[in-house]
Amino acid sequence: MRFRHIAFALASLFLIFPLTAIAQQISSRSMDDLNWMEFKRFVPAKINTVILTVGTLEAHGFINNGADNTVPVGIAHAIADDVNALIAPHIPYGITGILAPYPGSLHIPEEPFRNYVRAVLIGLVNNGFKNIIILNGHGPQIPALQSLAEEISLQYKVNTLVINWWILTADITKQLFGEDGGHATNNETAMVQALNPKLVHWEWFTGKDMATALPSPPDGWSATPFPSTILEYTEGQGLPKDRSQAKAEEYYQKVVARVRAVVQDTLQKWCSAGFN
Ligand SMILES: [Zn+2]
């Protein structure tokens, strides 16, 4: 009798607390994919880091207008497990500026962009995240993102890190391609090709007539629209040449490794300093 009672009690427990059947591992790293109960179970007790990717829609030579969205989202998915982070839904509209007149591009003025991103960051803080990693894909919004990240950290006592992947990895670009990078040049083309080769349309590439070097010194001249959609940081350097998938993947792996290392190192140092 006693055994039957125990068995009945155990069976009842499983009926009352079906949560015991829920996996210990989170079912997805994307906030988009989680329900509120699973989210509550993991954040912030087991996961207190979130990656927010930010990009824009902007003409990029013969690669996709959404290259600045494709790349940070790709990197986020590659590192989220290793840094124990969730990935917030991506922000695809940004401060495009001088390339916005090209077909399919889209510009958000700085003020609404700042206000919107600020609201998203506050929303992430309110959801319990202590570490917010902003993974940016687009240059002209760097000042806005850096000042917002600092503001949110100081005001809400959370830790923020902004990563501009193509600047962080400029030495890797130079080492692997033997030249400086740029906008829609060797570096971005390789990243997009590694993530989705179908987005790189070599058949549309007509050579150096598609590129213009950024003025050096920077304010020597300016033009809107900028006369080309491939922008060289150093004149005559960065034009995509190497079509090899293996080389694109090698570059991608090195970029991902660098971003992962910076995030891991920063998280660990915040922790050691008592900020986590
Ligand atoms: Zn870009």
Side-chain angles (χ1 to χ4, degrees):
M1 278 304 268
R2 185 174 288 172
F3 173 78
R4 280 171 67 189
H5 274 117
I6 292 168
F8 180 75
L10 277 174
S12 307
L13 265 176
F14 277 104
L15 282 173
I16 297 164
F17 301 110
L19 284 177
T20 48
I22 290 175
Q24 288 302 305
Q25 290 297 315
I26 199 153
S27 63
S28 167
R29 289 282 171 183
S30 298
M31 281 175 71
D32 262 337
D33 296 345
L34 303 172
N35 69 45
W36 69 273
M37 294 167 284
E38 188 177 8
F39 187 94
K40 186 182 171 199
R41 192 175 161 94
F42 282 89
V43 180
K46 293 177 181 141
I47 299 173
N48 65 357
T49 301
V50 66
I51 302 171
L52 175 65
T53 55
V54 189
T56 202
L57 265 176
E58 170 180 67
H60 272 81
F62 59 99
I63 62 174
N64 57 322
N65 284 358
D68 293 355
N69 297 323
T70 306
V71 176
V73 170
I75 297 172
H77 283 274
I79 68 168
D81 267 331
D82 303 324
V83 302
N84 191 28
L86 290 191
I87 303 167
H90 176 66
I91 296 181
Y93 302 113
I95 304 171
T96 297
I98 56 173
L99 292 174
Y102 285 90
S105 306
L106 200 150
H107 171 71
I108 303 293
E110 183 159 343
E111 199 188 336
F113 175 80
R114 273 180 182 271
N115 291 338
Y116 182 76
V117 175
R118 182 185 290 110
V120 171
L121 291 170
I122 293 169
L124 295 172
V125 173
N126 288 339
N127 270 296
F129 292 110
K130 182 70 180 166
N131 308 306
I132 302 175
I133 316 297
I134 299 174
L135 197 42
N136 178 37
H138 178 63
Q141 61 210 19
I142 293 173
L145 293 174
Q146 284 180 341
S147 68
L148 277 170
E150 185 181 308
E151 175 192 321
I152 294 297
S153 171
L154 299 181
Q155 193 172 343
Y156 295 93
K157 293 187 166 55
V158 293
N159 310 311
T160 59
L161 169 67
V162 180
I163 292 186
N164 304 301
W165 71 266
W166 68 102
I167 300 174
L168 180 69
T169 59
D171 61 319
I172 299 173
T173 303
K174 213 152 199 174
Q175 179 223 324
L176 210 70
F177 298 105
E179 292 185 0
D180 208 358
H183 167 89
T185 58
N186 45 20
N187 51 353
E188 281 194 296
T189 302
M191 288 300 279
V192 169
Q193 187 172 325
L195 285 160
N196 186 353
K198 287 182 183 154
L199 303 180
V200 180
H201 288 274
W202 289 100
E203 72 276 16
W204 287 85
F205 185 44
T206 56
K208 65 178 186 322
D209 64 296
M210 288 182 82
T212 301
L214 281 161
S216 177
D219 294 323
W221 59 272
S222 61
T224 307
F226 197 79
S228 300
T229 65
I230 298 177
L231 281 62
E232 298 166 345
Y233 294 156
T234 303
E235 182 144 27
Q237 291 194 26
L239 214 58
K241 291 185 189 79
D242 202 321
R243 304 186 180 201
S244 139
Q245 186 67 20
K247 187 147 183 186
E249 280 165 22
E250 183 187 354
Y251 179 70
Y252 169 83
Q253 292 300 342
K254 287 185 170 173
V255 168
V256 165
R258 172 71 59 82
V259 174
R260 181 194 292 121
V262 169
V263 174
Q264 283 172 332
D265 185 56
T266 308
L267 288 171
Q268 192 213 313
K269 284 173 177 161
W270 279 336
C271 199
S272 308
F275 291 121
N276 213 327

